[in-house]
């Protein structure tokens, strides 16, 4: 039941992830951006889901000198982009109402060349697909998996701007 609630809220936050597109649009050969969004297997985005985003901002801002940019997502609330050196590296979101009892947690996204191709291998390696490949408009395509030991991870193929 806990995992089902967690997956339900993830769908609600797809739109929030899309607001960070200014941080992750890539141009082929663009050397002005960091490369985790282009390198297969690289961690490229981190996201905190918490019951108290304001306190999380205060804590991490003071601890790590992070800067923040709030994005109004209408009825879904506020999504906060975490900036380091003027570059978006992650986000902070509040827990949605249907995720009561879920503890605050960090999630990670790993870049893959083709999310559909990678996800097709998960079951054969003993894992489970928790959220099938799903499009995030203007950002890319992602999925969430669970490894054989029970850890979850999101995989993403970023949209390349031409």
């Amino acid at each position: 039941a806990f995992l089902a609630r967690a997956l339900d809220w993830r769908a609600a936050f797809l739109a929030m992830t899309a607001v960070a597109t200014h941080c992750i649009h890539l141009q082929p050969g663009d050397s002005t951006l960091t490369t985790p969004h282009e390198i297969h297997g690289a961690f490229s985005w981190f996201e905190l889901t918490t019951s108290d985003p304001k306190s999380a901002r205060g804590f991490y801002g003071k601890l790590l000198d992070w800067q923040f940019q709030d994005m109004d997502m209408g009825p879904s609330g506020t999504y906060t982009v975490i900036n380091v050196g003027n570059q978006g590296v992650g986000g902070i979101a509040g827990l949605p109402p249907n995720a009561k009892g879920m503890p605050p947690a960090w999630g990670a996204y790993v870049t893959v060349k083709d999310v559909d191709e990678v996800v097709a291998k998960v079951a054969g390696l003993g894992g489970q697909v928790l959220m099938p490949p799903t499009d995030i408009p203007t950002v890319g395509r992602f999925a969430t998996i669970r490894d054989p030991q029970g850890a979850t991870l999101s995989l993403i193929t970023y949209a390349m701007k031409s």
Side-chain angles (χ1 to χ4, degrees), residues 53-66:
K54 184 178 179 181
S55 292
R57 278 180 61 146
F59 175 79
Y60 288 109
K62 289 176 185 170
L63 181 69
L64 302 170
D65 296 323
W66 285 351

Side-chain angles (χ1 to χ4, degrees), residues 1 11 17 23 25 42 60-61 64 89 97 105 127 130 137 139 152 157 161:
T17 304
C23 302
H25 276 299
Y60 288 109
L64 302 170
V89 296
L130 300 177
V139 175
T152 61
T157 301
K161 270 187 108 171

